[in-house]
Amino acid sequence: MTRTLSRFDGKIALVTGGTSGMGLATARRLLAEGAQVVITGRDQARLDAAVADLAGGDRVLAVRGDVGNLADLDALTEAIRERHGRLDLVFANAGIASFHPVEQVTEAEFDRVVDINFKGLFFTVQKTVPLLADHASVVINASWTLHRGMPGASLYAATKAAVHNLARTFAAELGHRGIRVNSVSPGYITTPMFHEVLQPHEHAAVAAKVVIGRLGTAEDVADVVAFLGSDEASYVNGQDLAIDGGLVATISGHSG
Ligand SMILES: NC(=O)c1ccc[n+]([C@@H]2O[C@H](COP(=O)([O-])OP(=O)(O)OC[C@H]3O[C@@H](n4cnc5c(N)ncnc54)[C@H](OP(=O)(O)O)[C@@H]3O)[C@@H](O)[C@H]2O)c1
């Protein structure tokens, strides 16, 4: 593994949903910069594959669990306490997609998405607070959809608006310990979730909405999470940072 920077030497990082997409890319980035990393996910086979892929040896701890299940979160924090005793960075990233017109959102789907994307994230942070070192950093994975109305996104986008709001309040509550809490709002990022939601024939039209003309990568997000988790961002707190090629801030196409 190539080590170019060492911003995370001696640091302990938790990445929920670390078996795929942005979580896996972030775990890889943090490892490359010296961190010891704890990754989670619901599927043991995917966890095993991620551990093999990361090739970090005993610098990677994989803990199976569902962020929507508080007993699993207790087991996760206990495993971290035993192995490391503390956390310096939490990337609360685990989440699921759900896009349906409002008339088609069932109560079961509402509960499923809120359980993972909002409740799961809330209690991930709550349960890790006792382990957070002073001056630790928490990064919450929200979504560009919290900033714009998009047909079909009512449930998903509302959970993301909620977790961005948590970033502000958690920042207010934890600031006295020097702990910073920010969220990121990825745009169209080509992860397995993206491919689950958008079919290949839709990709060009989606990319055309992005003024710089390309879709994002999981590594684009990992770079920013690593920045927010590092001392370089030591005065960035309670913010949401869009990682979207300008999707939220601009309108693509010619003027006039
Ligand atoms: N891709 C995009 O364009 C996009 C844009 C904006 C925001 N986001 C957000 O970015 C985050 C990461 O998404 P991604 O695109 O990287 O998706 P992904 O490739 O599908 O990865 C999601 C990860 O979360 C884990 N996960 C899902 N539900 C979980 C649960 N209940 N408990 C624990 N782990 C769980 C998955 O593993 P298991 O399934 O094995 O549990 C997997 O490791 C999500 O919060 C998503 O909403 C994505």
Side-chain angles (χ1 to χ4, degrees):
M1 174 179 299
T2 310
R3 293 267 304 270
T4 51
L5 292 165
S6 53
R7 289 182 296 184
F8 297 97
D9 270 347
K11 305 279 189 190
I12 316 295
L14 167 65
V15 179
T16 66
T19 61
S20 174
M22 300 175 214
L24 181 60
T26 302
R28 182 177 292 114
R29 177 62 187 258
L30 297 172
L31 262 180
E33 293 199 39
Q36 302 196 59
V37 177
V38 183
I39 59 170
T40 77
R42 294 166 297 182
D43 186 287
Q44 190 61 49
R46 278 153 63 85
L47 274 172
D48 294 343
V51 168
D53 184 12
L54 289 169
D58 63 7
R59 290 171 54 223
V60 179
L61 172 65
V63 182
R64 204 201 66 75
D66 183 338
V67 294
N69 180 317
L70 268 59
D72 285 0
L73 289 175
D74 284 334
L76 169 65
T77 49
E78 193 46 41
I80 297 168
R81 187 187 309 282
E82 270 177 30
R83 172 74 78 97
H84 297 296
R86 69 164 210 285
L87 282 169
D88 302 293
L89 170 60
V90 173
F91 182 32
N93 163 72
I96 54 172
S98 178
F99 294 96
H100 309 283
V102 60
E103 303 93 319
Q104 293 173 19
V105 177
T106 63
E107 184 180 9
E109 179 67 355
F110 186 99
D111 289 344
R112 185 179 80 94
V113 178
V114 169
D115 268 1
I116 295 174
N117 287 8
F118 179 42
K119 177 186 164 191
L121 195 136
F122 183 100
F123 285 103
T124 294
V125 177
Q126 186 207 63
K127 299 283 184 184
T128 53
V129 163
L131 286 170
L132 291 176
D134 288 353
H135 305 289
S137 171
V138 177
V139 182
I140 288 171
N141 205 342
S143 164
W144 73 274
T145 57
L146 80 89
H147 297 285
R148 302 276 288 272
M150 182 174 76
S154 57
L155 174 57
Y156 177 81
T159 64
K160 296 304 190 176
V163 297
H164 163 55
N165 186 268
L166 290 181
R168 292 180 171 173
T169 308
F170 289 157
E173 292 192 8
L174 301 174
H176 68 102
R177 293 174 50 201
I179 296 169
R180 296 176 296 106
V181 187
N182 294 286
S183 63
V184 290
S185 279
Y188 290 111
I189 310 294
T190 53
T191 64
M193 179 187 288
F194 172 90
H195 292 290
E196 171 195 322
V197 173
L198 289 160
Q199 301 311 305
H201 70 273
E202 299 173 292
H203 294 183
V206 164
K209 293 185 193 171
V210 183
V211 287
I212 61 168
R214 71 168 176 90
L215 301 168
T217 66
E219 289 71 26
D220 289 328
V221 176
D223 286 347
V224 175
V225 175
F227 164 69
L228 288 173
S230 77
D231 291 343
E232 291 171 3
S234 62
Y235 212 55
V236 182
N237 197 15
Q239 300 299 309
D240 183 67
L241 184 43
I243 312 165
D244 67 351
L247 179 65
V248 165
T250 64
I251 296 174
S252 61
H254 297 289
S255 61

